Amino acid sequence: MISPRRRPRARLFAAGLFAVFCAVSTAFNLPSAAQEASPSHDAVLQIIGKVGRPLTLHDADLAALPRRRLTVTDEHGNRVTYEGVSVADLLHRAGAPLGKQLRGPQLALYVLVSAADGYRAVFALPEFDPAFTDRVIVLADRRDGHQMAAPDGPFRVIVPDEKRHARWVREVTSLEVKQAQ
Ligand SMILES: Nc1nc2c(c(=O)[nH]1)N[C@H]1C(S)=C(S)[C@@H](COP(=O)(O)O)O[C@H]1N2
Ligand SMILES: [Mo]
């Protein structure tokens, strides 16, 4: 009568060992940012134009900023999770007028997003501003946990709740604040 009692325990123990083994091997196989083939190693993003402090940000700078995560449906109908920083945060750090400062002539400001392939898209400044909208537009540097290589990355603008994906600009090189004439 000993063995029937022991066997389930032995099985439980074996299952436990296996679970621990899986967890440990998964943990050690997870690529760290340093180990990963680093497509955005020299990646640079410029925030320029009518801003108080033009910025040149490297991927490591973005990694150090408050991180935002968005799970969205992409152009192909797949659910994907993008991670990065809010564009509002970047613009704020560059000294672009937001919140109470965004009024009067500043409402004719817009942001020109430019990509390495020459693609460009425009946003009005209030589209990013949490004082105007709850929608958070993200400059993503990771998709489903991985860095993105060109022509998707290393940086991509993600615009949640937008019916078309034309402004999900891939391989972003600069955000330029400009004034409509
Ligand atoms: N740099 C860049 N970004 C771009 C485009 C482009 O041609 N170049 N096309 C846009 C359009 S029209 C769409 S529909 C989506 C397509 O997303 P996908 O390349 O992930 O399928 O990317 C957008 N971002
Ligand atoms: Mo498109």
Side-chain angles (χ1 to χ4, degrees), residues 49-64:
K50 291 184 87 69
V51 293
R53 291 180 297 278
L55 294 177
T56 298
L57 296 173
H58 296 260
D59 47 340
D61 301 321
L62 290 184

Side-chain angles (χ1 to χ4, degrees), residues 11 15-16 19 25 42 56 60-61 67-68 72 77 81 88 114 125 129 131 134 156 159 174:
R11 248 183 253 139
S25 63
D42 294 321
T56 298
D61 301 321
R67 306 288 294 173
R68 308 298 294 241
V72 287
T81 298
S114 300
L125 205 43
D129 191 342
D134 289 330
R156 181 171 196 176
V159 194
S174 68

